[in-house]
Amino acid sequence: MRRLPFLLAALLLLTGCGITPSPVTAITAAPVISTEPIWAQIYLIKKGRLTLQQVRVASKTTEDLMRTLMDLANHPVESGQDTDLYGMRYQDVDSEPLGQRTQRMDPDNKSLVLYVTLRGERELSRVALAQIVCTARMRPEIAKVQVNITRSVSPSSTSGRRTCKEFHDLAPAGAPS
């Protein structure tokens, strides 16, 4: 009797589960990591006006576009171009359909409000706000942009929903509206 459990266990190990394995079939090509750089356009400042600059971004997402714009505020940029976003840090981006907070997000919706949240203690200048809004509006799905600033000392603030058209005096010809 003592040998019976051992014999049963050995028998089970030898017989397996009774299912024969199927051959491996490749459905698509294996995923490959691309080392090709991804480029996007952002707005920097030259002589007090917005100017387009092509920069390398981590991905094509709006989040990476905004993160890259904000990172340039703390790093040197090309000679003659500048940014007025110094002292501000990227915190978050979120989006929703324009005018409908409760509607389900539809990836094909071409009229989204982008909420950009920054951390910093200062107020954004008009040209800094134009940099963010016009850069975000380069994405065809973004209709309006709202910049929110969280502060640790003074109260937080919001820019309201903006379009690049409001900064027509700062933007170059052909800028998104």
Side-chain angles (χ1 to χ4, degrees):
M1 280 297 185
R2 293 179 121 185
R3 289 189 196 177
L4 187 59
F6 291 115
L7 287 173
L8 285 173
L11 185 62
L12 286 174
L13 282 173
L14 291 174
T15 60
C17 65
I19 299 174
T20 58
S22 61
V24 175
T25 305
I27 296 174
T28 63
V32 178
I33 297 174
S34 173
T35 57
E36 293 281 324
I38 300 170
W39 297 96
Q41 291 187 321
I42 63 168
Y43 280 101
L44 293 176
I45 305 166
K46 189 171 188 175
K47 297 180 182 176
R49 294 183 49 86
L50 297 180
T51 182
L52 275 175
Q53 175 70 37
Q54 189 167 342
V55 294
R56 190 173 180 169
V57 292
S59 74
K60 294 181 179 182
T61 65
T62 306
E63 179 176 4
D64 280 333
L65 182 66
M66 290 293 104
R67 187 183 307 273
T68 301
L69 177 64
M70 294 309 299
D71 285 348
L72 285 175
N74 302 304
H75 296 90
V77 293
E78 183 182 312
S79 177
Q81 294 180 335
D82 199 3
T83 177
D84 196 27
L85 297 167
Y86 62 89
M88 303 304 287
R89 299 275 186 243
Y90 170 85
Q91 183 172 326
D92 188 27
V93 295
D94 195 10
S95 61
E96 69 180 15
L98 182 62
Q100 300 170 4
R101 279 195 174 268
T102 58
Q103 181 182 5
R104 178 180 64 86
M105 285 300 296
D106 180 3
D108 294 328
N109 190 340
K110 301 298 184 200
S111 56
L112 299 176
V113 177
L114 182 71
Y115 298 97
V116 179
T117 305
L118 308 176
R119 286 186 314 245
E121 299 304 318
R122 70 182 190 91
E123 285 294 327
L124 288 181
S125 67
R126 185 168 181 266
V127 72
L129 190 58
Q131 277 187 270
I132 296 169
V133 172
C134 293
T135 296
R137 288 278 295 125
M138 295 291 288
R139 301 293 305 260
E141 70 273 16
I142 305 299
K144 295 194 176 205
V145 180
Q146 179 173 313
V147 180
N148 303 311
I149 302 173
T150 58
R151 297 184 178 90
S152 57
V153 178
S154 55
S156 297
S157 66
T158 183
S159 68
R161 294 178 177 182
R162 305 286 184 122
T163 65
C164 192
K165 188 176 184 178
E166 298 173 46
F167 305 102
H168 65 88
D169 58 317
L170 299 173
S177 54

